[in-house]
Structure formats: structure tokens, C-alpha cells
Amino acid sequence: MFCYWGAQVREGFGLLQAAVKHDKCEIRSVCPNSKSAFQDISAGRSFVGFIRDGKVSVLRLRGENCDQDGKLKQLQLKNDRIRSIVCGGAGAVLLAYGGKVLIMDKSTVCSPLKGLENRQVIQIACGDQHSMALTREGQLFVWGDNTHGQLGLKKAQPRSLSAPQGVESLCGVPLAQISAGGDHSFVLSLSGVVFGWGKNSAGQLGLGDTTDRRVPTVVNSLNQKKTVSISCGGEHTATLSKGGTVFTFGSGGFGQLGHNSFKDEHYPRVVAELWGSKVSQVTCGRSHTLVSVESSKVIYSFGCGMQGKLGNGEMTKQSVPFPVDLSTKCGHAYMIEKLIAGENHSLTLFFKKLGNESKPNSSRGILTLDNRMIDRWVSGSDSWKVKKKDINTVFSSAASLNGSFLKTSCDEHYQTSEEHCGLDFDLVKASFAKLSNNERLISEVVKVVQQTLLPSLNPNPAGVEALRIYLLLPELIRGLQGQQRTELTGALAYKILDLNPAALKMLEMYWSKLPDNLLKNLVDLFQKESAMLIGRIAVVKLDSNIEKHLKKFVRILHMVYQVSRSVHRDITKSDFIIHEVNGLQDVLQTINEDVNNMPLFYFPEQIETLVAHQNYYNKILKNLISLPCIFNLEAKCSYMKNRVWKQGYLPLTLRRTALLEDCFSQLRTASKQPLAGYWLAVFYTEDMKNTVTDVNKRDFFLNVFKELCAPESQLLMDNDNKTLSWFPTKIRVEKENYFLFGILCGLAFNNNSVVNLPFPLALFKKLLNVKPCLEDLIEFSPHLGTSLGSILDYSDDVKEMDLFFTITWDGTEVELDPAEPGKVVTNYNRNKFVDKYVDYILNKSVEEVFEEFKRGFFNACDRSLVEMFEPEELRGVLVGNEEYDWDILKKNTTYEGSFHAEHPTIISFWEVFDELTPTEKKSFLLFITGFEKVPILGMSAVKMRVGTLYKLTQDHLPEALTCHALLYLPVYQNKETLRAKVIEAINHKRGFWEE
């Protein structure tokens, strides 16, 4: 049964064998005499269409050029049975069982829509001059007029299309509903995200303006409103949220928005008069709106009341909802199935209530993967032909997969946003595990994913839901083995890196919100595949495909590493390290040695092959080092140590008595060009030697940094404990000195020299563009930093502390918030106060001198080498550490000449060494290596060798060659003599200050 009201129309629409009853307010009800009920009804500007038993009848409505209705006409559709009809401005679109789409023109001639023959369409929508179709796999097709961009295609598309075309920007978004208005379009996703596009002259897109949109645009103000349906009118739009809340926006000139106003609304606004009514349906006509409340069987209308289309006896426009005066007979026996609002007509389709059943759900959704489907595939209840078809549909469509596994408990999928993906990962893991256990099923899935799904992924997705595929596929791939796993991982990596920057940023946000076990799975996937490829490089040489895939894998691994660092996850650095890199460096070192020691009898072909391999490995390592998370510390240091010096030597000829003056003068001249590719060579005027030796260089760095960091240099300021230094806020020397200071630090780094640089970790963070924090201030100034921390932890009102944003640092009063001098610190702004305090001391107050230092530092060293280290590692490379494990030194010592571990002199030496004070042991390390601290790799990196000094008197002191950690000992007659000479040697002023 159906009821109708509005403009005058042929009695009962001319339906045969139908009883028409007249009620007050000119509402008529039509009850068919036959057993076949109405399946669907639609009303447009020119036609009203009815479906009964799969057959379609249409009635041409009277218009400007015709003052009476036509006759009801049954369409000739051959063998097509129709399940849905939508009438538009001039014609109609029909949807047959099986998904076929037919077009009815203004002459009521029907023909199949060309271009969708092989598609199974599940929903159709029709506007004034444009139409939409949604397929079972979730793809949206559009055709018709495109004057206002209502087709959602790119700007370069024509003003109209006769053949359907896919809306690329919505590929991957799992759609639940489509709707077409006068000249605008809307779609709704499974997670309640609303997209609109087309004409926006009255704000009918809900975007806050009146600018037309030519591509689907998210209506952000409706995000997380749990939208379950949308309806477009001529120039207005209505949405319905779960729970029954109605939002309307757009043209309000006839009151069709229901806001007790006749103004347009550019943003979605709640229809307040319906608040609490639990509306179950909403539909928009040309200039009026209908809503129904299922629980009370009441229909409300508002908007243009001309010709009685509001159904309440009023012919004027109404801006608030009023009940439609339906016959009480209809309300008792029938339930409301569908509301239809046309140009000048309103209809309600009912179904007869036989028991306690709810109204039938005639809408159809896209195909998604769920447990029941997987269970059918695994159990064998479906034929292989059916399984294969379903697999192809689901796994070839990003939209289908993105609409699967939604976390519907507590409506969590409606909370989908840039921070919440809406997926139930427990369900994802369980489902993919079932598939992976069936070899035939998973092989078919892999084939479809590789051949169809991945090539179809859109690099410019319209919404966050389209990014779910990049969270689902790693979980699927994890269950694969061998070549399948590698190929799919490679294809996925390419698609991830092909995403536009905004989408990639959103994906990283999703990664940051993953549970630790899932993020670890992602790390494992790309780490293991990267390790496998690196391992193959040594076997399958000069393979450009391996090189290309590896670069992609490692880049994604580095992205995940950056994400895990930013959110302080429990995933450790070691989870990213690929130890095969160490082996790759060993191979390169061997090749380098072969190239350097190439025999003269090598043929040109042999030389060419060897050099080609050297270039190949160098190129791979250079690419890898730019993404250093895969390198362990040993590999980083090895790479740094073994790199090729292409620029040669940078000579410094110095006087011992004018060390800083001479080196600054020569560096000032040399730094006019970058110094990163140079190996430092130090000569002393007093020695009259021109031999390049590391001994001189280490002595130089030892003593020049002692001068630079001494209070007399006035270059730095010390902390309260005189243990650490920082840049001063008041410059007492030439600003250029900080540039030259930075050059010396850069040269020390580039020359693998450990120096005395007593700075907090903040310096090394700043060099790596990592923002210093409160912990860094605590390291430099424990008292101040701890006090600031106590402000954050204070449980009572911070105002009691009587603190202000006015502080004093290095003798200068500073306003941390210049816009509001003297602002009081409160519980509300204390975090901001501490952040600004830390930022001022470690950043703003020293910005000028630090930038000079940084400029000098990177003038003298390769930025890419510096950036492969973490701040803690960079400090260790430059400064070393104080983890003095003397047992390791003893264990790793080797002996030359007549010495061996059981030689009496060696036994006495270690006995003497064990009896030295901690300070004397450190002096010995300086004596043997030229460094005061332990290198970053620990004491195991100090490979001391002990050789014999022959035919010398007992008065001869031990000698050391620091560049090789080589100690020469005479064969002393007794332990006491050995002790005296060792202590004299290590306490002797050495290097520049030798007498």
C-alpha cells in the first residue's frame, strides 16, 4: 500500500485493480487488489514510477506545457526484472536484478546503459541531469551533466558525459549510500564519513561556503556524527545520524531546512524541533523535506506547502516540522517502508505488518570480507567457481577490503579519523590466519592482490578510510612465505611510497596508533625482507632490481622507525637493525683492498669488473646510510672509517706556543671552500718534519680543545658544577670564533678523533635538528631543571609559588611571553612556562652563536655522515665515554717480538697496571691511544699491541705509537723498575709540551 499527496494527479495514478481511499487534507491511499505488492516507487520532475513483481510502470506528470497527466504505461523491458527505480529531471534510471542498469529517456524508451555491462550495480541515484551507480565491489560511476562538477571528476573533464566513468578519487573508500540532488551529489561511507560535490550556490554541500566543488570533499563538520543516511533535494541536503538526529543545510528559502527560519545554512545544523524523536528516515524533495519516526509511525513535513505537498492541509511554506495527517487506518495495519519526496508530490510506501517483524531492508551494500564468507570458503560449502568469483571481487577492490573487519562494537568504526582507523585487528589476524592455512585459497588471494588490487591503488585517496588497505595488507603478507612474500612486500612498498605527502602523513599517524604487536609485525616484515635482499647482494651481484627493492624497503623501515621514536613505543632500536649490513661492508672492504693492491698482470676486463663491483657496493651503502636505522653502531663507525677521502689532505702548520692563533688563522682561509672531503694533516714548526702522522693530529686535538674549553678562552660558559659547558648569551669574543670552533669539531668528527667537548646532549640534538627537552636542561643545570620539573609535578595551586613568565638568565632579565609582560604561572599555563624556559636557555638565548658553530661544523664534515647517528651516538663518536673496562683491554692485547702472555716482563706489566690508580689508568689510555676517553664502541675497540724494545738500558722509558695503539717496552729486570718507568712515561708531558 502507499499514500500520496501534493499536486493534482490522475486518480490512483491510473493503477488498475487498485482501491483508492480519500482522507482529509487530500491524502489518498492506494491498496492493490492483487496479491503483488509495490516493491519500489519514485517521483521526479516529469515521471512517477512504480515497480510490482519486477515490472515497471510510469506515469508522465502534467507540466508547464501539459495540463493533465499521461496514462500509466508499463515499460517494455523484455526479460529484465527490475528491483529499483529513481526518477530524475527528465527521465529515470532502473536497476535490474543481477545488477544491470537501464536508462529511460523522456519518451519512456528504455535501453541498457553502455559501459557497465560487466559490472554488478547495487545502488542507483538520479539528479536533475546527472546519475550515479555504485557497484558491488564499491566503485562509483557517474554520467550526465557536469556543468557544476556534479560528476566529481577532474576539472579538465567535459561539461557532460553520456557514458559512465569511475570517480577515481573515491577509489578505496567503502561506500554505504549514494544520493543525487538537483546539481549536487553526495556519498556516505560505511564509517559515516560524508562526501559532497557539485553545485554549492546555497551551501548545499555543507562546507561553510558557496563555492562549487568538482571533486568529492569531506564534510568535516559531520565527522563522527554516526551518519547512516543522506538525501539530496533541489538545493538542500539532509543527513540522518544513528539514534535519529537530523541535520539539514543548503537552501532554506521555503523553510525546507526545518530551522524555524527561511535562511540558507552553509554548515550542517540539527533540526531542533525533531530532537529526541528518533527519526528513522529522511528524504528531500525539490523544496520540501519529509521525515518519519518508526516507533510512533508519524511522518513530519516542512518546506514548500504549495499544492498541498506537506500533507497537513496548509498551502504555505513551513519552516518547522509538522505531522502529516495520515489516515488512522494506514497507521494500524502497516509499517512505513519508504518516503518519497518529488517535485510537487509526496508518497509513502508501506508494508503490511503480519507479526513483530521490522520493515524489510531493501538497500544493498558492497561486498565485504567477513568470517562467515571465509568459513564457507574453508569448509568447502561453496564451489571453487563461487569461491574464486568472491575472492576476485573482494580482493581486487580496495573499497571492499577497506570496508571489511570494522570494529562495530560500541560503534567504534564511526569514530574513524586521522588517529583512529576503525579496524578490529583481532578479527583481521584471525581471518587472515584461516586463509593462510589453505594453500589453494591463499594462492588465489595473492594472485588477485598482486595482479589487480595493488596496481589499482589510488596515490591520492579522498578519505582516511582508503588508507586501511595499507594496514590490512601487511597482516596478509606476514602469513606468506618465499617469493610470494617478497614480491607482495615489494609491490606494497612501492604503493606506500607513491602516496601523496598528506596521505603518507595520515598513514604514519595510523602506524603511530597501532598496538605494539602490530607495529612490531610491520617492522619485522620490512626488516626481514631487507635483510634477505642484503644477504643476496653478496651472491647475486650487480642486480639493479635488488638494489631498487632494497631502497624502498629500507625507506619504509626508516619511516616506521621515525614513527615509533616520536611516540616512544616499546619497540627498540635493535628491532630495526639489519646485521647483514656488516657483512656487506666486509665485502666492500675486501674489494677496496683488491682494487688498491691490484696486480700489474690483471687484464683490463678484470680491472673493469672489480671497479664495477666496487661502485655497485659503494652506491648501495650510500643509499642505505641515508636511512641509518638499519645500521648498528659498529656498522656506522665502520662505514665512517672506511669511506674514501677524495679531496686529499688539509695541512695545518702550527707553532706550539700559538696553537689557537695559528689554527684559527689557517682555518679562516681554508674554510672559504667546504672542508668535508679532507683528511687533516698537522705539522709543527719546531719538529722540522713533513711526515703525515696521526700522532700529531691526536696531540693537536687533545690540546686545542683544552684551550678552547678553558675559562680563559671566554668562548663558553660553565654550569654550576664546572663539569659541562654551554654557549654564552653574552658574546665576549669575535662571533667568527664560534664558526671556527665548529670547524674544529667537524674536523674531529671527520677524522675519527675523540676530543674533550664537555657539552650536554642538547648540543648534539640541535646538530641533528632534534628539539632539546627538560631532561637536557636537567643534565646541564640539575638544580634549575629539577625545580622546573617540580612545577609540573606540583599537586596544589602553582600560584602559591609566586612565579612569573619573567626570568633571569646569565644576568639578563627576560620576558618569556613578551605579549603579556609579568604573566603569572598557573596550573593552566605551567607546561607552556616550562617549555618556554627550556627553549629560551637551550635555543633562543644562544641562537646566534649556535648557528655560527653549526655552520662551521657542517663546513668541515659530511652532513649525511653526521645524520646517520642518533644524538647519543654522535656525542659518543666525538667525545667518547667513560666506561673503562680494563679487563677487556687486557684480554684484547696482542704481543709482538719476544713478548708473549707468559713472558715475565708482560706478567709484571699487568701486575703493575692493576695496581695503578684510576687516574693513572686513564693517563695510560691517553698515552697509548691519544684519547682521554674510551671510543664509542667501547674498550673492545682499543686493540693494544705490546712490542719489544731491544738493546736499551734500564733507564729507557716505554714508548707509544698512538695511531696504532702500539706500546713498546724494554725488557726490564724487575717489577719495581717497570713500575717506575711506566708511571714516569704516562705522567710525562707529551705531544706539543714535550721537553
Coordinates of all heavy atoms in Angstrom, one line a residue, residues 443-507:
S443 N 46.8 -18.8 -2.4 CA 47.4 -18.6 -3.7 C 46.5 -17.8 -4.6 O 47.0 -16.9 -5.3 CB 47.7 -20.0 -4.4 OG 48.7 -20.7 -3.6
E444 N 45.2 -18.1 -4.6 CA 44.3 -17.3 -5.4 C 44.2 -15.8 -4.9 O 44.2 -14.9 -5.7 CB 42.9 -17.9 -5.4 CG 41.9 -17.3 -6.3 CD 42.2 -17.4 -7.8 OE1 43.0 -18.4 -8.1 OE2 41.8 -16.6 -8.6
V445 N 44.2 -15.7 -3.6 CA 44.2 -14.3 -3.0 C 45.4 -13.6 -3.4 O 45.3 -12.4 -3.8 CB 44.1 -14.4 -1.5 CG1 44.4 -13.1 -0.8 CG2 42.7 -14.9 -1.0
V446 N 46.6 -14.2 -3.3 CA 47.8 -13.5 -3.6 C 47.8 -13.1 -5.1 O 48.3 -11.9 -5.5 CB 49.1 -14.4 -3.4 CG1 50.3 -13.8 -4.0 CG2 49.2 -14.6 -1.9
K447 N 47.4 -13.9 -6.0 CA 47.3 -13.6 -7.4 C 46.4 -12.4 -7.7 O 46.8 -11.5 -8.4 CB 46.8 -14.8 -8.2 CG 46.8 -14.6 -9.7 CD 46.3 -15.8 -10.4 CE 44.8 -16.0 -10.3 NZ 44.3 -17.1 -11.2
V448 N 45.3 -12.4 -7.0 CA 44.4 -11.2 -7.3 C 44.9 -9.9 -6.7 O 44.9 -8.9 -7.3 CB 43.0 -11.5 -6.6 CG1 42.1 -10.3 -6.7 CG2 42.3 -12.7 -7.3
V449 N 45.5 -10.0 -5.5 CA 46.1 -8.8 -4.9 C 47.2 -8.3 -5.7 O 47.3 -7.1 -5.9 CB 46.6 -9.2 -3.4 CG1 47.5 -8.0 -2.9 CG2 45.4 -9.5 -2.5
Q450 N 48.1 -9.2 -6.2 CA 49.3 -8.8 -6.9 C 48.9 -8.2 -8.3 O 49.4 -7.2 -8.8 CB 50.2 -9.9 -7.1 CG 51.6 -9.5 -7.7 CD 52.6 -10.6 -7.5 OE1 52.3 -11.7 -6.9 NE2 53.8 -10.5 -8.0
Q451 N 48.0 -8.9 -9.0 CA 47.7 -8.5 -10.4 C 46.6 -7.4 -10.5 O 46.6 -6.7 -11.5 CB 47.2 -9.8 -11.2 CG 48.3 -10.9 -11.3 CD 47.8 -12.1 -12.0 OE1 46.6 -12.2 -12.4 NE2 48.6 -13.1 -12.2
T452 N 45.7 -7.3 -9.5 CA 44.6 -6.4 -9.7 C 44.6 -5.3 -8.6 O 44.5 -4.1 -8.9 CB 43.3 -7.2 -9.7 OG1 43.3 -8.2 -10.7 CG2 42.1 -6.2 -10.1
L453 N 44.6 -5.7 -7.3 CA 44.4 -4.8 -6.3 C 45.5 -3.7 -6.2 O 45.3 -2.5 -6.2 CB 44.3 -5.5 -4.9 CG 44.2 -4.6 -3.7 CD1 43.0 -3.8 -3.7 CD2 44.3 -5.4 -2.4
L454 N 46.8 -4.2 -6.1 CA 47.9 -3.2 -5.9 C 48.0 -2.3 -7.1 O 48.2 -1.1 -6.8 CB 49.2 -4.0 -5.6 CG 49.3 -4.6 -4.2 CD1 50.5 -5.6 -4.1 CD2 49.4 -3.5 -3.2
P455 N 47.9 -2.7 -8.3 CA 48.0 -1.8 -9.4 C 46.9 -0.7 -9.4 O 47.0 0.4 -10.0 CB 47.9 -2.7 -10.7 CG 48.4 -4.0 -10.2 CD 47.9 -4.1 -8.8
S456 N 45.8 -1.0 -8.8 CA 44.6 -0.1 -8.8 C 44.6 0.9 -7.7 O 43.8 1.8 -7.7 CB 43.3 -0.9 -8.7 OG 43.1 -1.4 -7.4
L457 N 45.5 0.8 -6.7 CA 45.5 1.7 -5.6 C 45.8 3.1 -6.0 O 46.6 3.4 -6.8 CB 46.5 1.3 -4.5 CG 46.3 -0.1 -3.8 CD1 47.3 -0.4 -2.8 CD2 44.9 -0.1 -3.2
N458 N 44.9 4.0 -5.4 CA 45.0 5.4 -5.8 C 46.0 6.2 -4.9 O 45.9 6.1 -3.7 CB 43.6 6.0 -5.6 CG 43.5 7.5 -6.0 OD1 44.5 8.0 -6.5 ND2 42.3 8.1 -5.9
P459 N 47.0 6.8 -5.5 CA 48.0 7.6 -4.7 C 47.4 8.8 -4.1 O 48.1 9.4 -3.2 CB 49.1 7.9 -5.7 CG 48.4 7.9 -7.0 CD 47.3 6.9 -7.0
N460 N 46.2 9.2 -4.5 CA 45.6 10.4 -3.9 C 44.3 10.1 -3.3 O 43.2 10.6 -3.9 CB 45.5 11.5 -5.0 CG 46.8 11.9 -5.6 OD1 47.7 12.4 -4.9 ND2 47.0 11.6 -6.9
P461 N 44.2 9.3 -2.3 CA 42.9 8.9 -1.7 C 42.1 10.1 -1.2 O 42.7 11.1 -0.6 CB 43.3 8.0 -0.6 CG 44.7 8.3 -0.2 CD 45.3 8.8 -1.5
A462 N 40.8 10.0 -1.3 CA 39.9 11.1 -0.9 C 39.7 11.2 0.6 O 39.4 12.2 1.2 CB 38.6 11.1 -1.6
G463 N 39.8 10.0 1.3 CA 39.5 10.0 2.7 C 40.4 9.0 3.5 O 41.0 8.2 2.9
V464 N 40.4 9.1 4.8 CA 41.2 8.3 5.6 C 40.9 6.8 5.5 O 41.7 5.9 5.7 CB 41.2 8.8 7.1 CG1 41.8 10.1 7.2 CG2 39.8 8.8 7.6
E465 N 39.6 6.5 5.2 CA 39.2 5.1 5.2 C 40.0 4.3 4.1 O 40.2 3.1 4.2 CB 37.7 5.0 4.9 CG 36.9 5.3 6.2 CD 35.4 5.4 5.8 OE1 35.0 6.4 5.3 OE2 34.7 4.4 6.0
A466 N 40.3 5.0 3.0 CA 41.0 4.4 1.9 C 42.4 3.9 2.3 O 43.0 3.1 1.6 CB 41.1 5.4 0.7
L467 N 42.9 4.4 3.4 CA 44.3 4.0 3.9 C 44.3 2.8 4.7 O 45.3 2.2 5.0 CB 44.9 5.2 4.7 CG 45.1 6.5 3.9 CD1 45.6 7.6 4.9 CD2 46.2 6.3 2.9
R468 N 43.1 2.2 5.0 CA 43.1 1.0 5.8 C 43.8 -0.2 5.1 O 44.3 -1.1 5.7 CB 41.6 0.6 6.1 CG 40.9 1.4 7.1 CD 39.5 0.9 7.2 NE 38.7 1.8 8.1 CZ 37.4 2.1 8.0 NH1 36.8 1.6 6.9 NH2 36.8 2.8 8.8
I469 N 43.8 -0.1 3.7 CA 44.4 -1.2 2.9 C 45.8 -1.3 3.3 O 46.4 -2.4 3.2 CB 44.2 -0.9 1.4 CG1 44.5 -2.1 0.6 CG2 45.0 0.3 1.0 CD1 43.5 -3.2 0.7
Y470 N 46.5 -0.2 3.6 CA 47.9 -0.3 3.9 C 48.2 -0.8 5.4 O 49.4 -1.1 5.7 CB 48.5 1.1 3.8 CG 48.4 1.7 2.4 CD1 47.4 2.6 2.1 CD2 49.2 1.2 1.4 CE1 47.2 3.1 0.8 CE2 49.1 1.7 0.1 CZ 48.1 2.6 -0.2 OH 47.9 3.1 -1.5
L471 N 47.1 -1.0 6.1 CA 47.3 -1.7 7.4 C 46.9 -3.1 7.3 O 47.4 -4.0 8.1 CB 46.4 -1.0 8.5 CG 46.6 0.5 8.7 CD1 45.5 1.1 9.7 CD2 48.0 0.8 9.1
L472 N 46.0 -3.4 6.4 CA 45.5 -4.8 6.2 C 46.5 -5.7 5.5 O 46.7 -6.8 5.8 CB 44.2 -4.8 5.5 CG 43.0 -4.2 6.2 CD1 41.8 -4.0 5.2 CD2 42.6 -5.1 7.4
L473 N 47.1 -5.1 4.4 CA 47.9 -6.0 3.5 C 49.2 -6.5 4.3 O 49.6 -7.7 4.1 CB 48.3 -5.2 2.3 CG 47.2 -5.0 1.2 CD1 47.7 -4.3 0.0 CD2 46.7 -6.4 0.8
P474 N 49.8 -5.7 5.1 CA 51.0 -6.3 5.9 C 50.6 -7.5 6.7 O 51.4 -8.5 6.8 CB 51.5 -5.1 6.7 CG 51.1 -3.9 6.0 CD 49.8 -4.3 5.4
E475 N 49.4 -7.5 7.3 CA 48.9 -8.7 8.1 C 48.7 -9.9 7.2 O 48.9 -11.0 7.6 CB 47.7 -8.3 8.8 CG 47.9 -7.4 10.0 CD 48.9 -8.0 11.0 OE1 48.6 -9.1 11.5 OE2 49.9 -7.3 11.3
L476 N 48.2 -9.6 5.9 CA 48.0 -10.7 5.0 C 49.4 -11.3 4.5 O 49.6 -12.5 4.5 CB 47.2 -10.2 3.8 CG 47.0 -11.2 2.6 CD1 46.1 -12.4 3.1 CD2 46.4 -10.5 1.4
I477 N 50.3 -10.4 4.2 CA 51.6 -10.8 3.7 C 52.4 -11.5 4.7 O 53.2 -12.4 4.3 CB 52.4 -9.5 3.2 CG1 51.6 -8.9 2.0 CG2 53.8 -9.9 2.8 CD1 52.2 -7.5 1.6
R478 N 52.2 -11.2 6.0 CA 53.0 -11.8 7.0 C 52.8 -13.4 7.0 O 53.7 -14.1 7.4 CB 52.6 -11.3 8.4 CG 53.4 -10.1 8.8 CD 53.3 -9.8 10.3 NE 52.1 -10.4 11.0 CZ 52.2 -11.4 11.9 NH1 53.4 -11.9 12.2 NH2 51.1 -11.8 12.5
G479 N 51.7 -13.8 6.6 CA 51.4 -15.3 6.6 C 52.0 -16.0 5.4 O 51.9 -17.2 5.3
L480 N 52.6 -15.2 4.4 CA 53.2 -15.8 3.2 C 54.6 -16.3 3.4 O 55.3 -15.9 4.4 CB 53.1 -14.9 2.1 CG 51.7 -14.3 1.8 CD1 51.7 -13.3 0.6 CD2 50.7 -15.4 1.5
Q481 N 55.1 -17.0 2.5 CA 56.5 -17.5 2.5 C 57.2 -17.2 1.2 O 56.5 -17.1 0.1 CB 56.6 -19.0 2.8 CG 55.9 -19.4 4.2 CD 56.7 -18.8 5.4 OE1 57.9 -18.7 5.3 NE2 56.0 -18.6 6.5
G482 N 58.5 -17.2 1.2 CA 59.3 -17.2 0.0 C 59.0 -16.0 -1.0 O 58.8 -14.9 -0.6
Q483 N 59.0 -16.4 -2.3 CA 58.9 -15.4 -3.3 C 57.6 -14.6 -3.3 O 57.6 -13.4 -3.6 CB 59.1 -16.1 -4.7 CG 59.3 -15.1 -5.8 CD 60.6 -14.3 -5.7 OE1 61.6 -14.8 -5.0 NE2 60.7 -13.2 -6.4
Q484 N 56.5 -15.3 -2.9 CA 55.2 -14.6 -2.8 C 55.4 -13.4 -1.8 O 54.9 -12.3 -2.1 CB 54.2 -15.6 -2.3 CG 53.6 -16.5 -3.4 CD 52.4 -17.3 -2.8 OE1 52.3 -17.5 -1.6 NE2 51.5 -17.7 -3.7
R485 N 55.9 -13.7 -0.7 CA 56.1 -12.7 0.4 C 56.9 -11.5 -0.1 O 56.6 -10.4 0.1 CB 56.7 -13.3 1.6 CG 56.9 -12.4 2.8 CD 57.6 -13.1 3.9 NE 58.1 -12.3 4.9 CZ 57.5 -12.2 6.1 NH1 56.6 -13.0 6.5 NH2 58.0 -11.4 7.1
T486 N 58.0 -11.8 -0.8 CA 59.0 -10.8 -1.2 C 58.3 -9.9 -2.3 O 58.4 -8.7 -2.2 CB 60.2 -11.4 -1.8 OG1 60.9 -12.2 -0.7 CG2 61.2 -10.3 -2.3
E487 N 57.7 -10.5 -3.3 CA 57.1 -9.8 -4.4 C 55.9 -8.9 -3.9 O 55.8 -7.7 -4.3 CB 56.5 -10.7 -5.4 CG 57.7 -11.4 -6.2 CD 57.1 -12.4 -7.3 OE1 55.9 -12.5 -7.4 OE2 57.9 -13.0 -8.0
L488 N 55.1 -9.4 -3.0 CA 54.0 -8.6 -2.5 C 54.5 -7.5 -1.6 O 54.0 -6.4 -1.6 CB 53.0 -9.5 -1.7 CG 51.9 -10.2 -2.5 CD1 50.9 -10.8 -1.6 CD2 51.2 -9.2 -3.4
T489 N 55.5 -7.8 -0.8 CA 56.1 -6.7 0.1 C 56.7 -5.6 -0.8 O 56.5 -4.4 -0.5 CB 57.2 -7.3 1.0 OG1 56.6 -8.4 1.7 CG2 57.7 -6.3 1.9
G490 N 57.3 -6.0 -1.9 CA 57.9 -5.0 -2.8 C 56.8 -4.1 -3.4 O 56.9 -2.9 -3.5
A491 N 55.8 -4.8 -3.9 CA 54.7 -4.1 -4.6 C 54.0 -3.1 -3.6 O 53.6 -2.0 -3.9 CB 53.7 -5.0 -5.2
L492 N 53.8 -3.6 -2.3 CA 53.2 -2.8 -1.3 C 54.1 -1.6 -1.0 O 53.6 -0.4 -0.8 CB 52.9 -3.6 0.0 CG 52.4 -2.8 1.2 CD1 51.0 -2.2 0.8 CD2 52.3 -3.7 2.4
A493 N 55.4 -1.8 -0.9 CA 56.3 -0.7 -0.6 C 56.2 0.4 -1.6 O 56.2 1.6 -1.3 CB 57.7 -1.2 -0.5
Y494 N 56.2 0.0 -2.9 CA 56.1 1.0 -4.0 C 54.8 1.8 -3.8 O 54.8 3.0 -4.1 CB 56.1 0.3 -5.3 CG 57.5 0.0 -5.8 CD1 58.3 -1.0 -5.2 CD2 58.1 0.8 -6.8 CE1 59.6 -1.3 -5.7 CE2 59.4 0.5 -7.2 CZ 60.2 -0.5 -6.7 OH 61.4 -0.7 -7.1
K495 N 53.7 1.1 -3.5 CA 52.4 1.9 -3.4 C 52.4 2.8 -2.2 O 51.8 3.9 -2.2 CB 51.3 0.9 -3.3 CG 51.0 0.2 -4.7 CD 50.6 1.3 -5.7 CE 50.3 0.7 -7.0 NZ 49.8 1.7 -8.0
I496 N 53.0 2.4 -1.1 CA 53.1 3.3 0.1 C 53.9 4.5 -0.2 O 53.5 5.6 0.0 CB 53.7 2.5 1.3 CG1 52.8 1.4 1.8 CG2 54.1 3.5 2.4 CD1 53.4 0.6 2.9
L497 N 55.0 4.3 -0.9 CA 55.9 5.5 -1.2 C 55.3 6.3 -2.3 O 55.8 7.5 -2.5 CB 57.3 5.0 -1.5 CG 58.0 4.3 -0.4 CD1 59.4 3.8 -0.8 CD2 58.2 5.3 0.8
D498 N 54.3 5.8 -3.0 CA 53.7 6.6 -4.1 C 52.6 7.5 -3.6 O 52.0 8.3 -4.4 CB 53.1 5.6 -5.2 CG 52.8 6.3 -6.5 OD1 53.5 7.2 -6.9 OD2 51.8 5.9 -7.1
L499 N 52.2 7.3 -2.4 CA 51.1 8.1 -1.8 C 51.5 9.6 -1.8 O 52.7 9.9 -1.6 CB 50.8 7.7 -0.4 CG 50.1 6.3 -0.2 CD1 50.0 5.9 1.2 CD2 48.6 6.4 -0.8
N500 N 50.6 10.5 -1.9 CA 50.9 11.9 -1.8 C 51.3 12.2 -0.4 O 51.0 11.5 0.5 CB 49.7 12.8 -2.3 CG 48.5 12.7 -1.4 OD1 48.6 12.9 -0.2 ND2 47.3 12.5 -1.9
P501 N 52.0 13.3 -0.2 CA 52.5 13.6 1.2 C 51.5 13.7 2.3 O 51.7 13.2 3.4 CB 53.2 15.0 1.0 CG 53.6 15.0 -0.5 CD 52.5 14.3 -1.2
A502 N 50.3 14.2 2.0 CA 49.3 14.3 3.0 C 48.8 12.9 3.4 O 48.6 12.6 4.6 CB 48.1 15.2 2.5
A503 N 48.6 12.0 2.4 CA 48.1 10.7 2.7 C 49.2 9.9 3.4 O 48.9 9.1 4.3 CB 47.8 10.0 1.4
L504 N 50.5 10.1 3.1 CA 51.6 9.4 3.7 C 51.6 9.8 5.2 O 51.9 9.0 6.1 CB 52.9 9.7 3.0 CG 54.0 8.8 3.2 CD1 53.6 7.3 2.9 CD2 55.2 9.2 2.4
K505 N 51.4 11.1 5.4 CA 51.4 11.6 6.8 C 50.3 11.0 7.6 O 50.5 10.6 8.8 CB 51.3 13.1 6.8 CG 51.4 13.8 8.2 CD 51.4 15.3 8.1 CE 51.6 15.9 9.5 NZ 51.6 17.4 9.4
M506 N 49.1 10.8 7.0 CA 48.0 10.2 7.7 C 48.3 8.7 8.0 O 47.9 8.2 9.0 CB 46.7 10.3 6.9 CG 46.1 11.7 6.9 SD 44.4 11.7 6.2 CE 44.8 11.5 4.5
L507 N 49.0 8.0 7.0 CA 49.3 6.6 7.2 C 50.3 6.5 8.4 O 50.2 5.6 9.2 CB 49.9 6.1 6.0 CG 50.4 4.6 6.0 CD1 49.2 3.7 6.4 CD2 51.0 4.1 4.7

